[in-house]
Amino acid sequence: MIKLYIGNKNYSSWSMRPWVLMKQAGIAFEEVMVRFDSFDEHSKFKHTILPLNPTGTVPVLQDGDIVVYDTLAICEYLAETHPDTKLWPADKARRAQARSACAEMHAGFRALRSHCGMNIEADLSLQGRLILRDQPAVRADLDRIVQLWSGLLDAHGGSMLFGEFSTADAYFAPVCMRIKTFALPVPAAISAYVARVLALPGVEAWIAEALVEKDFVLMDEPYRLER
C-alpha cells in the first residue's frame, strides 16, 4: 500500500494537500505522521525523513520502491497512477489552467504563507487584522487569491474551482484554512467557496484529526507562547 509521510495536521499545510486529495478520491494509503519536534539535523523528524527525502521535508509518498517528495509531483504521480479518479479536469484547456493555478500556489503567495501560517485549532482573527493593516504584501496576496478564485468559479460555474473537485481544490484547501483562522475578509462568493471546501469529507476529516492532536509546537506558533 502507498505510504504518505506527513507532519502535524494542525500545522502542515503541504502535507494536507495530497492527504485530502487521496481521501477525496478514495485512494487507499497508509499514513505515517512524523511529529514536528524541530528541524535540527539531529531531530527525530529529520532522522525519519532524510533517508526518504534529501530535502528533509514532508510530505513524502512511498509506493513500493518509488519515492516522491514534492507536493505537486505527488499530485501528478497520483493522477498518473490512478487515472480513473480524474484528479485533473478532463478538458485539455481546463487541465492546463488547473495546473497553472496549482503551480502559482506552489511557488507564490509567500507573504501570506509566511505571515499567516496554517494553525487549524487557533483563533487568530485579531492577528489577521493586524497583519492586513501592517503587511501590504499579504494584502496583495489575498487580492490575487480572490481574483484567481473568482475568475475560475465564474468561468466554470460549479461548486469547486473547475466545476467538480480536482487537485486545485485540494491544493488551495490550506489557504481556505488560513482565511478562516485569521478571519481574512473576502467577498461573499469566495467565503461561500471556502465553506464548501471546508465541508468536503476529506477536509473535514483532516480538520477533525488536527483538533485532537493537542500538540503545541512552539516553532510553529509565531503569535502565541502557549495555548
Coordinates of all heavy atoms in Angstrom, one line a residue, residues 18-111:
P18 N -1.9 16.5 -0.5 CA -2.0 15.1 -1.0 C -2.9 14.3 -0.2 O -3.6 13.4 -0.7 CB -0.6 14.6 -1.1 CG 0.2 15.4 -0.1 CD -0.5 16.8 -0.1
W19 N -2.9 14.5 1.2 CA -3.8 13.7 2.1 C -5.2 13.9 1.7 O -6.0 12.9 1.5 CB -3.5 14.1 3.5 CG -4.0 13.2 4.6 CD1 -3.3 12.3 5.3 CD2 -5.3 13.2 5.2 NE1 -4.1 11.7 6.2 CE2 -5.4 12.2 6.2 CE3 -6.5 14.0 4.9 CZ2 -6.5 12.0 7.0 CZ3 -7.6 13.7 5.7 CH2 -7.6 12.7 6.7
V20 N -5.6 15.2 1.6 CA -7.0 15.5 1.2 C -7.3 15.0 -0.2 O -8.4 14.4 -0.4 CB -7.3 17.0 1.3 CG1 -8.6 17.4 0.6 CG2 -7.3 17.5 2.8
L21 N -6.4 15.1 -1.1 CA -6.6 14.6 -2.5 C -6.9 13.1 -2.5 O -7.9 12.7 -3.1 CB -5.4 15.0 -3.3 CG -5.5 14.7 -4.8 CD1 -6.6 15.6 -5.4 CD2 -4.2 14.9 -5.5
M22 N -6.1 12.4 -1.7 CA -6.3 10.9 -1.7 C -7.6 10.5 -1.0 O -8.3 9.6 -1.4 CB -5.1 10.2 -1.1 CG -3.9 10.2 -2.1 SD -2.6 9.1 -1.6 CE -1.8 10.1 -0.4
K23 N -7.9 11.2 0.1 CA -9.1 10.9 0.8 C -10.4 11.2 -0.1 O -11.3 10.4 -0.1 CB -9.2 11.8 2.1 CG -8.3 11.3 3.2 CD -8.9 10.0 3.8 CE -8.1 9.6 5.1 NZ -8.6 8.4 5.7
Q24 N -10.4 12.3 -0.7 CA -11.5 12.7 -1.6 C -11.6 11.8 -2.8 O -12.7 11.4 -3.2 CB -11.3 14.1 -2.1 CG -11.7 15.2 -1.1 CD -13.2 15.2 -0.7 OE1 -13.5 15.0 0.4 NE2 -14.1 15.3 -1.7
A25 N -10.5 11.3 -3.3 CA -10.5 10.4 -4.5 C -10.7 9.0 -4.1 O -10.9 8.1 -5.0 CB -9.2 10.6 -5.3
G26 N -10.6 8.6 -2.8 CA -10.8 7.2 -2.4 C -9.6 6.4 -2.7 O -9.7 5.2 -2.9
I27 N -8.4 7.0 -2.7 CA -7.2 6.2 -2.9 C -6.7 5.8 -1.6 O -6.4 6.6 -0.7 CB -6.1 7.1 -3.6 CG1 -6.6 7.6 -5.0 CG2 -4.8 6.4 -3.7 CD1 -5.7 8.6 -5.6
A28 N -6.5 4.5 -1.4 CA -6.1 3.9 -0.2 C -4.6 4.2 0.1 O -3.8 4.1 -0.8 CB -6.3 2.4 -0.1
F29 N -4.3 4.5 1.3 CA -2.9 4.8 1.7 C -2.7 4.6 3.2 O -3.7 4.7 4.0 CB -2.5 6.2 1.3 CG -3.2 7.3 2.0 CD1 -2.5 7.9 3.1 CD2 -4.4 7.8 1.6 CE1 -3.2 9.0 3.8 CE2 -5.1 8.8 2.3 CZ -4.4 9.4 3.4
E30 N -1.5 4.4 3.6 CA -1.1 4.3 5.0 C -0.5 5.6 5.4 O 0.5 6.1 4.8 CB -0.1 3.2 5.2 CG 0.4 3.1 6.7 CD 1.5 2.1 6.8 OE1 1.7 1.2 5.9 OE2 2.1 2.1 7.9
E31 N -1.0 6.2 6.4 CA -0.5 7.5 6.9 C 0.6 7.2 7.9 O 0.5 6.4 8.8 CB -1.6 8.3 7.6 CG -1.1 9.6 8.3 CD -2.1 10.2 9.2 OE1 -3.3 10.3 8.8 OE2 -1.8 10.5 10.4
V32 N 1.7 8.0 7.7 CA 2.8 7.9 8.7 C 3.0 9.4 9.2 O 3.6 10.2 8.4 CB 4.1 7.4 8.1 CG1 5.2 7.3 9.2 CG2 3.9 6.0 7.5
M33 N 2.6 9.7 10.4 CA 2.7 11.0 10.9 C 4.1 11.2 11.6 O 4.3 10.4 12.5 CB 1.6 11.4 11.8 CG 1.3 12.9 11.9 SD 2.5 13.8 13.0 CE 1.6 13.6 14.6
V34 N 4.8 12.1 11.2 CA 6.1 12.4 11.8 C 6.1 13.8 12.5 O 6.0 14.8 11.8 CB 7.3 12.4 10.8 CG1 8.6 12.5 11.5 CG2 7.2 11.1 9.9
R35 N 6.0 13.8 13.8 CA 5.8 15.0 14.5 C 6.9 16.0 14.3 O 8.1 15.7 14.2 CB 5.8 14.7 16.0 CG 5.5 15.9 16.9 CD 5.5 15.5 18.4 NE 5.3 16.7 19.2 CZ 6.2 17.6 19.6 NH1 7.5 17.3 19.4 NH2 5.9 18.6 20.4
F36 N 6.5 17.3 14.2 CA 7.4 18.4 14.2 C 8.1 18.6 15.5 O 7.5 19.4 16.4 CB 6.7 19.7 13.7 CG 6.3 19.7 12.3 CD1 5.2 20.4 11.9 CD2 6.9 19.0 11.3 CE1 4.7 20.5 10.6 CE2 6.5 19.0 10.0 CZ 5.4 19.7 9.6
D37 N 9.2 18.0 15.8 CA 9.9 18.2 17.1 C 10.8 19.4 16.9 O 10.9 20.3 17.7 CB 10.6 17.0 17.6 CG 11.5 16.3 16.6 OD1 11.5 16.7 15.5 OD2 12.3 15.5 17.1
S38 N 11.6 19.4 15.8 CA 12.4 20.5 15.4 C 12.9 20.2 14.0 O 12.7 19.1 13.5 CB 13.6 20.7 16.4 OG 14.6 19.8 16.1
F39 N 13.6 21.2 13.4 CA 14.2 20.9 12.1 C 15.7 20.8 12.2 O 16.4 20.9 11.2 CB 13.7 22.0 11.1 CG 12.2 22.0 10.8 CD1 11.5 23.1 11.0 CD2 11.6 20.8 10.5 CE1 10.1 23.1 10.7 CE2 10.3 20.7 10.2 CZ 9.5 21.9 10.4
D40 N 16.2 20.6 13.4 CA 17.6 20.4 13.6 C 18.0 19.1 12.9 O 17.2 18.1 12.9 CB 17.9 20.4 15.1 CG 19.4 20.1 15.3 OD1 20.1 21.1 15.4 OD2 19.8 19.0 15.5
E41 N 19.2 19.0 12.4 CA 19.6 17.8 11.6 C 19.6 16.5 12.5 O 19.6 15.4 12.0 CB 21.0 18.0 11.0 CG 22.1 18.2 12.0 CD 23.5 18.4 11.4 OE1 23.7 17.8 10.3 OE2 24.3 19.1 12.0
H42 N 19.7 16.7 13.8 CA 19.7 15.6 14.7 C 18.3 15.3 15.3 O 18.2 14.4 16.2 CB 20.7 15.8 15.9 CG 22.1 16.1 15.4 ND1 22.8 15.1 14.7 CD2 22.9 17.2 15.5 CE1 24.0 15.6 14.4 NE2 24.1 16.8 14.9
S43 N 17.3 16.0 14.9 CA 15.9 15.8 15.4 C 15.4 14.4 14.9 O 15.8 13.9 13.9 CB 15.0 16.9 15.0 OG 14.8 16.9 13.6
K44 N 14.4 14.0 15.7 CA 13.7 12.7 15.2 C 13.0 12.9 13.9 O 13.0 12.0 13.1 CB 12.7 12.3 16.3 CG 12.0 11.0 16.0 CD 11.1 10.6 17.1 CE 10.4 9.2 16.8 NZ 9.5 8.8 17.9
F45 N 12.5 14.1 13.7 CA 11.8 14.4 12.4 C 12.8 14.2 11.2 O 12.5 13.5 10.3 CB 11.2 15.8 12.4 CG 10.6 16.3 11.1 CD1 9.3 15.9 10.9 CD2 11.3 17.0 10.2 CE1 8.7 16.3 9.6 CE2 10.8 17.3 9.0 CZ 9.5 17.0 8.7
K46 N 13.9 14.9 11.3 CA 14.9 14.8 10.3 C 15.5 13.4 10.1 O 15.7 12.9 9.0 CB 16.1 15.8 10.5 CG 15.7 17.2 10.4 CD 15.3 17.6 8.9 CE 15.2 19.1 8.8 NZ 14.8 19.5 7.4
H47 N 15.7 12.7 11.3 CA 16.2 11.3 11.2 C 15.2 10.4 10.5 O 15.7 9.5 9.8 CB 16.4 10.8 12.7 CG 16.9 9.4 12.8 ND1 18.2 9.1 12.5 CD2 16.2 8.3 13.1 CE1 18.3 7.8 12.7 NE2 17.2 7.2 13.0
T48 N 13.9 10.7 10.6 CA 12.9 9.8 9.9 C 12.8 10.2 8.4 O 12.7 9.3 7.6 CB 11.6 10.0 10.6 OG1 11.7 9.6 12.0 CG2 10.5 9.1 9.9
I49 N 12.8 11.5 8.1 CA 12.5 11.9 6.8 C 13.7 12.0 5.8 O 13.6 11.6 4.6 CB 11.9 13.3 6.8 CG1 10.5 13.3 7.6 CG2 11.7 13.9 5.4 CD1 9.5 12.3 6.9
L50 N 14.9 12.3 6.3 CA 16.0 12.5 5.4 C 16.4 11.2 4.6 O 16.8 11.3 3.5 CB 17.3 12.9 6.2 CG 17.3 14.4 6.5 CD1 18.5 14.8 7.5 CD2 17.5 15.2 5.2
P51 N 16.3 10.0 5.2 CA 16.5 8.8 4.3 C 15.6 8.7 3.2 O 15.9 8.0 2.2 CB 16.4 7.6 5.3 CG 16.6 8.2 6.7 CD 16.0 9.6 6.6
L52 N 14.4 9.3 3.2 CA 13.4 9.2 2.2 C 13.5 10.4 1.2 O 13.4 10.3 0.0 CB 12.0 9.1 2.7 CG 11.7 7.9 3.5 CD1 10.4 8.1 4.3 CD2 11.5 6.7 2.6
N53 N 13.8 11.6 1.8 CA 13.7 12.9 1.1 C 15.0 13.7 1.5 O 15.1 14.2 2.6 CB 12.5 13.6 1.5 CG 12.4 15.0 0.8 OD1 13.2 15.4 0.0 ND2 11.4 15.8 1.2
P54 N 15.9 13.9 0.5 CA 17.1 14.6 0.8 C 16.9 16.1 1.2 O 17.8 16.7 1.8 CB 17.9 14.5 -0.5 CG 16.9 14.2 -1.5 CD 15.9 13.4 -0.9
T55 N 15.7 16.6 1.0 CA 15.4 18.0 1.4 C 14.9 18.0 2.8 O 14.8 19.1 3.4 CB 14.4 18.7 0.5 OG1 13.1 18.1 0.7 CG2 14.8 18.6 -1.0
G56 N 14.6 16.8 3.4 CA 14.2 16.8 4.8 C 12.8 17.4 5.1 O 12.6 17.9 6.2
T57 N 11.9 17.3 4.2 CA 10.6 17.9 4.4 C 9.5 16.9 4.1 O 9.7 15.9 3.4 CB 10.4 19.2 3.4 OG1 10.5 18.7 2.1 CG2 11.4 20.2 3.7
V58 N 8.3 17.2 4.6 CA 7.1 16.4 4.3 C 6.2 17.3 3.4 O 6.3 18.5 3.4 CB 6.4 16.0 5.6 CG1 7.1 14.9 6.3 CG2 6.1 17.2 6.5
P59 N 5.3 16.6 2.6 CA 5.0 15.2 2.6 C 6.0 14.4 1.7 O 6.7 15.0 0.9 CB 3.6 15.2 2.0 CG 3.6 16.4 1.1 CD 4.4 17.4 1.7
V60 N 6.0 13.1 2.0 CA 6.7 12.2 1.1 C 5.8 11.0 0.8 O 5.2 10.5 1.8 CB 8.0 11.7 1.8 CG1 8.7 10.6 1.0 CG2 8.9 12.8 2.2
L61 N 5.7 10.7 -0.4 CA 4.9 9.5 -0.8 C 5.8 8.4 -1.2 O 6.7 8.6 -2.0 CB 3.9 9.9 -2.0 CG 3.0 8.8 -2.4 CD1 1.6 9.4 -2.7 CD2 3.5 8.0 -3.6
Q62 N 5.5 7.2 -0.6 CA 6.3 6.0 -1.0 C 5.4 4.9 -1.5 O 4.4 4.5 -0.9 CB 7.0 5.5 0.3 CG 8.0 4.3 0.0 CD 8.7 3.9 1.3 OE1 8.3 4.1 2.4 NE2 9.9 3.4 1.1
D63 N 5.7 4.5 -2.7 CA 4.9 3.5 -3.4 C 5.8 2.4 -3.8 O 6.4 2.4 -4.9 CB 4.2 4.1 -4.6 CG 3.2 3.1 -5.3 OD1 3.0 2.0 -4.8 OD2 2.6 3.5 -6.4
G64 N 6.0 1.4 -3.0 CA 7.0 0.4 -3.2 C 8.4 1.0 -3.2 O 8.8 1.6 -2.2
D65 N 9.1 0.8 -4.3 CA 10.4 1.4 -4.4 C 10.4 2.8 -4.9 O 11.5 3.4 -5.0 CB 11.3 0.5 -5.4 CG 11.5 -0.9 -4.9 OD1 11.5 -1.1 -3.6 OD2 11.7 -1.8 -5.7
I66 N 9.3 3.3 -5.2 CA 9.2 4.7 -5.8 C 8.9 5.7 -4.6 O 8.0 5.5 -3.8 CB 8.1 4.8 -6.8 CG1 8.4 3.9 -8.0 CG2 7.9 6.3 -7.3 CD1 7.2 3.8 -9.0
V67 N 9.7 6.7 -4.5 CA 9.6 7.8 -3.5 C 9.4 9.1 -4.2 O 10.2 9.5 -5.1 CB 10.8 7.8 -2.6 CG1 10.6 9.0 -1.6 CG2 10.9 6.5 -1.8
V68 N 8.3 9.8 -3.9 CA 8.0 11.1 -4.5 C 7.9 12.1 -3.3 O 7.2 11.9 -2.4 CB 6.7 11.1 -5.3 CG1 6.6 12.4 -6.1 CG2 6.6 9.9 -6.2
Y69 N 8.7 13.2 -3.4 CA 8.8 14.1 -2.2 C 8.5 15.5 -2.5 O 8.7 16.4 -1.6 CB 10.1 13.9 -1.5 CG 11.3 14.2 -2.4 CD1 11.8 15.5 -2.6 CD2 12.1 13.1 -2.9 CE1 12.9 15.7 -3.4 CE2 13.2 13.3 -3.6 CZ 13.6 14.6 -3.9 OH 14.7 14.8 -4.7
D70 N 7.9 15.9 -3.6 CA 7.4 17.2 -3.8 C 5.9 17.2 -3.9 O 5.4 16.3 -4.6 CB 8.0 17.8 -5.1 CG 7.4 19.1 -5.5 OD1 8.0 20.2 -5.0 OD2 6.4 19.2 -6.2
T71 N 5.2 18.1 -3.3 CA 3.8 18.0 -3.2 C 3.1 18.0 -4.6 O 2.2 17.2 -4.8 CB 3.2 19.2 -2.4 OG1 3.9 19.3 -1.1 CG2 1.7 19.1 -2.2
L72 N 3.6 18.9 -5.5 CA 3.0 18.9 -6.8 C 3.4 17.6 -7.6 O 2.5 17.1 -8.3 CB 3.4 20.2 -7.5 CG 2.7 20.5 -8.8 CD1 1.2 20.6 -8.5 CD2 3.1 21.9 -9.4
A73 N 4.6 17.2 -7.4 CA 5.0 15.9 -8.0 C 4.1 14.7 -7.5 O 3.8 13.8 -8.3 CB 6.5 15.6 -7.8
I74 N 3.8 14.7 -6.2 CA 3.0 13.7 -5.6 C 1.6 13.7 -6.3 O 1.1 12.7 -6.7 CB 2.9 13.9 -4.1 CG1 4.2 13.5 -3.4 CG2 1.7 13.0 -3.5 CD1 4.2 13.9 -1.9
C75 N 1.0 14.9 -6.4 CA -0.3 15.0 -7.1 C -0.3 14.5 -8.5 O -1.2 13.8 -9.0 CB -0.8 16.5 -7.0 SG -1.1 17.1 -5.3
E76 N 0.8 14.9 -9.2 CA 0.9 14.4 -10.6 C 1.1 12.9 -10.6 O 0.5 12.2 -11.5 CB 2.1 15.1 -11.3 CG 1.9 16.6 -11.6 CD 1.0 16.8 -12.7 OE1 0.3 15.9 -13.2 OE2 0.9 18.0 -13.2
Y77 N 1.9 12.3 -9.7 CA 2.1 10.9 -9.7 C 0.7 10.2 -9.4 O 0.4 9.2 -10.0 CB 3.1 10.5 -8.6 CG 3.3 9.1 -8.5 CD1 4.2 8.4 -9.3 CD2 2.7 8.3 -7.4 CE1 4.4 7.0 -9.2 CE2 3.0 7.0 -7.3 CZ 3.8 6.3 -8.2 OH 4.0 5.0 -8.1
L78 N 0.0 10.7 -8.5 CA -1.3 10.1 -8.2 C -2.3 10.2 -9.3 O -3.0 9.2 -9.6 CB -2.0 10.8 -7.0 CG -1.3 10.6 -5.6 CD1 -1.8 11.6 -4.6 CD2 -1.4 9.2 -5.1
A79 N -2.3 11.3 -10.1 CA -3.1 11.4 -11.3 C -2.7 10.4 -12.3 O -3.5 9.8 -13.0 CB -3.1 12.8 -11.8
E80 N -1.4 10.2 -12.4 CA -0.9 9.3 -13.4 C -1.2 7.8 -13.1 O -1.5 7.0 -14.0 CB 0.6 9.5 -13.6 CG 1.3 8.7 -14.6 CD 2.8 9.0 -14.7 OE1 3.2 10.0 -15.3 OE2 3.6 8.2 -14.1
T81 N -1.1 7.5 -11.8 CA -1.2 6.1 -11.4 C -2.7 5.7 -11.1 O -3.0 4.5 -11.0 CB -0.4 5.8 -10.2 OG1 -0.7 6.7 -9.1 CG2 1.1 5.8 -10.5
H82 N -3.5 6.7 -11.0 CA -5.0 6.5 -10.7 C -5.8 7.3 -11.7 O -6.5 8.2 -11.2 CB -5.3 6.8 -9.2 CG -4.6 6.0 -8.2 ND1 -3.3 6.2 -7.8 CD2 -5.0 4.9 -7.5 CE1 -2.9 5.3 -6.9 NE2 -4.0 4.5 -6.7
P83 N -5.7 7.1 -13.0 CA -6.4 7.9 -13.9 C -7.9 7.9 -13.8 O -8.6 8.8 -14.2 CB -5.9 7.3 -15.3 CG -5.5 5.9 -15.0 CD -4.9 6.0 -13.6
D84 N -8.4 6.8 -13.2 CA -9.9 6.7 -13.0 C -10.4 7.7 -12.0 O -11.6 8.0 -12.0 CB -10.2 5.3 -12.6 CG -9.5 4.9 -11.3 OD1 -8.2 5.0 -11.2 OD2 -10.2 4.4 -10.3
T85 N -9.6 8.3 -11.2 CA -10.0 9.2 -10.1 C -10.2 10.6 -10.7 O -10.8 11.5 -10.0 CB -9.0 9.3 -9.0 OG1 -7.7 9.6 -9.5 CG2 -8.9 7.9 -8.3
K86 N -9.7 10.9 -11.9 CA -10.0 12.2 -12.5 C -9.5 13.4 -11.7 O -10.3 14.3 -11.4 CB -11.4 12.3 -13.0 CG -11.9 11.2 -14.0 CD -13.3 11.3 -14.3 CE -13.7 10.2 -15.3 NZ -15.2 10.3 -15.6
L87 N -8.3 13.3 -11.2 CA -7.8 14.3 -10.3 C -7.6 15.7 -11.0 O -7.5 16.7 -10.3 CB -6.5 13.9 -9.6 CG -6.6 12.6 -8.8 CD1 -5.3 12.2 -8.2 CD2 -7.7 12.7 -7.8
W88 N -7.4 15.7 -12.3 CA -7.4 16.9 -13.1 C -8.6 17.0 -14.0 O -9.2 15.9 -14.3 CB -6.1 16.9 -14.0 CG -4.8 17.0 -13.2 CD1 -3.9 16.0 -13.1 CD2 -4.3 18.1 -12.5 NE1 -2.8 16.4 -12.4 CE2 -3.0 17.7 -12.0 CE3 -4.7 19.4 -12.3 CZ2 -2.2 18.6 -11.3 CZ3 -3.9 20.3 -11.5 CH2 -2.7 19.9 -11.0
P89 N -9.0 18.2 -14.4 CA -10.2 18.3 -15.3 C -9.9 17.5 -16.6 O -8.8 17.4 -17.1 CB -10.2 19.8 -15.6 CG -9.6 20.4 -14.4 CD -8.5 19.5 -14.0
A90 N -11.0 16.9 -17.1 CA -10.8 16.1 -18.4 C -10.5 17.0 -19.6 O -9.8 16.6 -20.5 CB -12.1 15.4 -18.6
D91 N -11.1 18.2 -19.6 CA -10.8 19.1 -20.7 C -9.4 19.6 -20.7 O -8.8 20.0 -19.7 CB -11.8 20.3 -20.6 CG -11.5 21.3 -21.7 OD1 -11.9 21.1 -22.9 OD2 -10.9 22.4 -21.4
K92 N -8.7 19.6 -21.9 CA -7.3 19.9 -22.0 C -7.0 21.4 -21.5 O -6.1 21.6 -20.8 CB -6.9 19.8 -23.5 CG -5.4 20.1 -23.7 CD -5.1 19.9 -25.2 CE -3.7 20.3 -25.5 NZ -3.4 20.1 -27.0
A93 N -7.9 22.3 -21.9 CA -7.7 23.7 -21.6 C -7.9 23.9 -20.1 O -7.1 24.6 -19.4 CB -8.6 24.6 -22.4
R94 N -8.9 23.3 -19.5 CA -9.1 23.4 -18.1 C -8.0 22.7 -17.3 O -7.6 23.2 -16.3 CB -10.5 22.8 -17.7 CG -11.7 23.5 -18.1 CD -12.9 23.0 -17.5 NE -14.1 23.7 -17.9 CZ -15.3 23.6 -17.3 NH1 -15.5 22.7 -16.3 NH2 -16.4 24.3 -17.7
R95 N -7.5 21.6 -17.8 CA -6.4 20.9 -17.1 C -5.2 21.8 -17.1 O -4.5 21.9 -16.1 CB -6.1 19.6 -17.9 CG -5.2 18.7 -17.1 CD -5.4 17.2 -17.7 NE -5.0 17.1 -19.1 CZ -5.9 16.9 -20.0 NH1 -7.1 16.7 -19.8 NH2 -5.4 16.7 -21.3
A96 N -4.9 22.5 -18.2 CA -3.7 23.4 -18.2 C -3.9 24.5 -17.2 O -3.0 24.9 -16.5 CB -3.5 23.9 -19.6
Q97 N -5.1 25.0 -17.2 CA -5.4 26.1 -16.3 C -5.3 25.7 -14.8 O -4.8 26.4 -14.0 CB -6.8 26.6 -16.6 CG -7.2 28.0 -16.0 CD -8.5 28.5 -16.4 OE1 -9.4 27.7 -16.7 NE2 -8.7 29.8 -16.4
A98 N -5.8 24.5 -14.5 CA -5.7 24.0 -13.2 C -4.2 23.7 -12.7 O -3.8 24.1 -11.6 CB -6.5 22.6 -13.1
R99 N -3.4 23.2 -13.7 CA -2.0 23.1 -13.4 C -1.3 24.4 -13.1 O -0.5 24.5 -12.2 CB -1.3 22.3 -14.5 CG -1.6 20.8 -14.5 CD -0.7 20.1 -15.5 NE -0.8 18.6 -15.3 CZ -1.3 17.8 -16.1 NH1 -1.9 18.2 -17.2 NH2 -1.3 16.5 -15.8
S100 N -1.7 25.4 -13.9 CA -1.1 26.7 -13.7 C -1.5 27.3 -12.4 O -0.7 27.9 -11.7 CB -1.6 27.7 -14.8 OG -1.2 27.2 -16.1
A101 N -2.8 27.1 -11.9 CA -3.2 27.6 -10.6 C -2.4 27.0 -9.5 O -2.0 27.6 -8.5 CB -4.7 27.4 -10.5
C102 N -2.3 25.6 -9.6 CA -1.5 24.9 -8.6 C -0.1 25.3 -8.6 O 0.5 25.5 -7.5 CB -1.6 23.4 -8.8 SG -3.3 22.7 -8.5
A103 N 0.5 25.5 -9.7 CA 1.9 26.0 -9.8 C 2.1 27.4 -9.2 O 3.1 27.7 -8.5 CB 2.4 26.0 -11.2
E104 N 1.1 28.2 -9.4 CA 1.1 29.6 -8.8 C 1.1 29.5 -7.2 O 1.8 30.2 -6.5 CB 0.0 30.4 -9.3 CG 0.0 31.8 -8.7 CD -1.1 32.7 -9.3 OE1 -1.9 32.3 -10.2 OE2 -1.2 33.9 -8.9
M105 N 0.3 28.6 -6.7 CA 0.2 28.4 -5.3 C 1.5 27.8 -4.8 O 2.0 28.2 -3.8 CB -0.9 27.4 -5.0 CG -1.1 27.1 -3.5 SD -1.6 28.5 -2.4 CE -0.1 28.8 -1.5
H106 N 2.1 26.9 -5.6 CA 3.3 26.1 -5.2 C 4.5 27.1 -5.0 O 5.3 27.0 -4.1 CB 3.6 25.1 -6.2 CG 4.6 24.0 -5.8 ND1 4.3 23.1 -4.9 CD2 5.8 23.8 -6.2 CE1 5.3 22.3 -4.7 NE2 6.3 22.7 -5.5
A107 N 4.5 28.1 -5.9 CA 5.7 29.0 -5.9 C 5.4 30.3 -5.4 O 6.4 31.1 -5.1 CB 6.2 29.1 -7.3
G108 N 4.2 30.7 -5.2 CA 3.8 32.1 -4.9 C 3.2 32.2 -3.5 O 3.2 31.4 -2.6
F109 N 2.5 33.4 -3.3 CA 1.8 33.7 -2.1 C 2.7 33.6 -0.9 O 2.3 33.2 0.2 CB 0.5 32.9 -2.0 CG -0.4 33.0 -3.1 CD1 -0.6 31.9 -3.9 CD2 -1.0 34.2 -3.5 CE1 -1.5 32.0 -5.1 CE2 -1.8 34.3 -4.6 CZ -2.1 33.2 -5.4
R110 N 4.0 34.0 -1.0 CA 4.9 33.9 0.0 C 4.6 34.7 1.3 O 4.8 34.3 2.4 CB 6.3 34.2 -0.5 CG 6.8 33.2 -1.6 CD 8.2 33.5 -2.0 NE 8.7 32.6 -3.1 CZ 9.2 31.4 -2.9 NH1 9.3 31.0 -1.7 NH2 9.5 30.7 -3.9
A111 N 4.1 35.9 1.0 CA 3.8 36.7 2.2 C 2.7 36.1 3.0 O 2.7 36.1 4.2 CB 3.4 38.1 1.7

